[in-house]
Amino acid sequence: MSRDAHTADVIRTARLDLLPLRVEHAAEMAAVLSDPALHTFIGGAPATPEALRTRYRRLVAGSPDPTVTWLNWVLRLHQDSHLVGTVQATIAPPTAEIAWVVGTPWQGRGLASEAARALVTWLTSRPGIETIVAHIHPDHTASAAVARAAGLEPTDEEQDGERRWRLPLPR
């Protein structure tokens, strides 16, 4: 399966537009992701706008491995057109690994669950994907709730201190 088989589309939900990532999103996203508490479970620290531009250039350019596709979206809230977070999928058929983050001011409103459900639904219709997975720190109860809302179930597998969640897709 070539990487051309998987291209990020705009995905719409009741409250959000999932927009394919662009380098131009970096300045606004640096503010969205500026709370150090967001990095409690994922490590690192908030990125400067320039560091985020550099990272986004690399992500938009795509994976150097032709068998792996990186798809990234920013989450735009319909209500006020502000960016509020991101979702991503790394596709290495037959698996798509997903992740999400919503900025602190927008947490607790179900936006991450709404975005993750939309992403899972979108991935379900993509060719060559048989399993969707996420890796979640065992103490990150909010992220576990998002995974469960998106249909993933915890497994007994761990990687780098994180529990693997899985959704096998019917084919």
Side-chain angles (χ1 to χ4, degrees):
M1 176 98 19
S2 76
R3 83 169 73 217
D4 295 334
H6 302 291
T7 303
D9 296 321
V10 173
I11 303 169
R12 289 186 167 77
T13 72
R15 297 180 294 166
L16 298 166
D17 287 328
L18 284 63
L19 305 173
L21 179 71
R22 295 190 333 251
V23 174
E24 295 79 23
H25 292 131
E28 187 174 355
M29 285 307 301
V32 170
L33 303 174
S34 65
D35 184 354
L38 286 175
H39 302 270
T40 300
F41 294 107
I42 59 174
T48 65
E50 185 51 45
L52 214 47
R53 269 190 290 283
T54 299
R55 179 169 184 245
Y56 285 3
R57 275 188 206 99
R58 190 174 65 251
L59 291 173
V60 168
S63 170
D65 181 341
T67 66
V68 175
T69 303
W70 296 339
L71 300 176
N72 296 272
W73 292 262
V74 292
L75 310 177
R76 182 177 65 198
L77 194 59
H78 293 168
Q79 179 181 356
D80 57 15
S81 294
H82 288 308
L83 300 182
V84 299
T86 64
V87 292
Q88 65 185 53
T90 299
I91 301 173
T95 302
E97 183 169 340
I98 63 172
W100 49 84
V101 64
V102 169
T104 304
W106 300 277
Q107 291 179 1
R109 301 181 194 179
L111 295 172
S113 294
E114 186 173 324
R117 280 192 306 269
L119 179 57
V120 165
T121 297
W122 185 84
L123 287 167
T124 300
S125 69
R126 310 314 321 161
I129 298 174
E130 297 173 9
T131 306
I132 298 173
V133 300
H135 291 91
I136 300 171
H137 190 282
D139 295 331
H140 199 332
T141 56
S143 201
V146 171
R148 195 171 302 285
L152 284 77
E153 293 291 333
T155 69
D156 292 332
E157 301 170 47
E158 287 193 16
Q159 179 180 334
D160 298 326
E162 295 183 322
R163 166 116 343 136
R164 185 179 183 105
W165 289 65
R166 176 179 290 127
L167 173 63
L169 300 179
R171 292 290 176 207

